[in-house]
Amino acid sequence: MNEVLQNIRARRSVRAFEDKAIAEDVLAQILDAGLWAPSAMNRQLWQLTAVSGKEKLTALQNALKKVLDRPDYGCFYNADTLVLVSVPRDYEHGMADTACVLENIFLAAKSLGVGSVWINQFKNNCDDERLRAVLSDCGVPAGHVIWGAAALGYGKPQSETRENKGKIVRVR
């Protein structure tokens, strides 16, 4: 099996990150991989906002906890960096394009020895003023919605194995 297919099969979500920083050159490669994702009609309307540093991440997490009314929620799993993928609110292909960007990020991270997990709590909440203030402070445009985010860092997945529940139907 080739290296790309092995990487796809080996990627798992990490939900407990170590207190270890991602090197800037490694993070740059992961972010660049996101930019190479396919998009509807090659529009590439996304913005990738990489948030690092305990102060910014804590502010973002605290705002999200308030919006979700879940004070004990550890929604970023102690990640070193959170990549917010946003697109214009009225863009009809935003969810699909964002998913493609995030998959590239996850696969690039895995290939570089960095763990990742999808964070999906932003989409329905990024217009709440408590969260929007922090998002704006991070540089996310006011007219953008975040369909998904990637928490990145070093750590082990809970399980190295996975059962495939989907199915393949071939028609000729």
Side-chain angles (χ1 to χ4, degrees):
M1 184 180 312
N2 77 29
E3 189 177 327
V4 172
L5 295 177
Q6 287 174 345
N7 191 54
I8 289 169
R9 286 178 170 223
R11 195 219 61 83
R12 301 285 180 274
S13 294
V14 174
R15 291 183 176 86
F17 293 105
E18 301 168 12
D19 192 17
K20 180 179 174 185
I22 301 169
E24 285 298 318
D25 64 319
V26 172
L27 182 59
Q29 291 177 71
I30 294 168
L31 295 170
D32 185 62
L35 294 179
W36 286 96
S39 64
M41 295 179 279
N42 199 29
R43 288 190 183 140
Q44 303 177 39
L45 296 178
W46 48 62
Q47 174 177 306
L48 280 60
T49 305
V51 181
S52 298
K54 295 294 181 197
E55 186 177 322
K56 289 285 186 193
L57 287 169
T58 298
L60 195 53
Q61 184 166 265
N62 287 342
L64 191 55
K65 285 179 181 184
K66 287 177 187 171
V67 170
L68 296 173
D69 195 24
R70 294 178 67 185
D72 297 328
Y73 186 45
C75 47
F76 304 155
Y77 308 105
N78 194 42
D80 174 70
T81 301
L82 185 69
V83 181
L84 307 167
V85 182
S86 64
V87 294
R89 177 177 286 102
D90 60 352
Y91 179 47
E92 64 183 315
H93 303 293
M95 181 173 64
D97 286 6
T98 297
C100 290
V101 169
L102 287 169
E103 183 68 3
N104 275 19
I105 287 171
F106 298 144
L107 292 174
K110 172 64 179 168
S111 75
L112 295 166
V114 175
S116 63
V117 66
W118 184 303
I119 305 296
N120 67 0
Q121 289 82 359
F122 288 98
K123 192 262 174 208
N124 294 322
N125 299 300
C126 53
D127 286 330
D128 183 292
E129 62 188 30
R130 296 168 291 182
L131 183 56
R132 176 45 66 186
V134 181
L135 292 173
S136 294
D137 186 49
C138 290
V140 176
H144 276 212
V145 64
I146 299 166
W147 283 96
L152 302 173
Y154 295 98
K156 302 275 187 227
Q158 290 177 323
S159 174
E160 296 291 335
T161 62
R162 180 184 136 182
E163 175 187 349
N164 279 326
K165 297 177 184 174
K167 65 180 180 178
I168 297 171
V169 176
R170 264 194 91 190
V171 179
R172 293 182 186 214

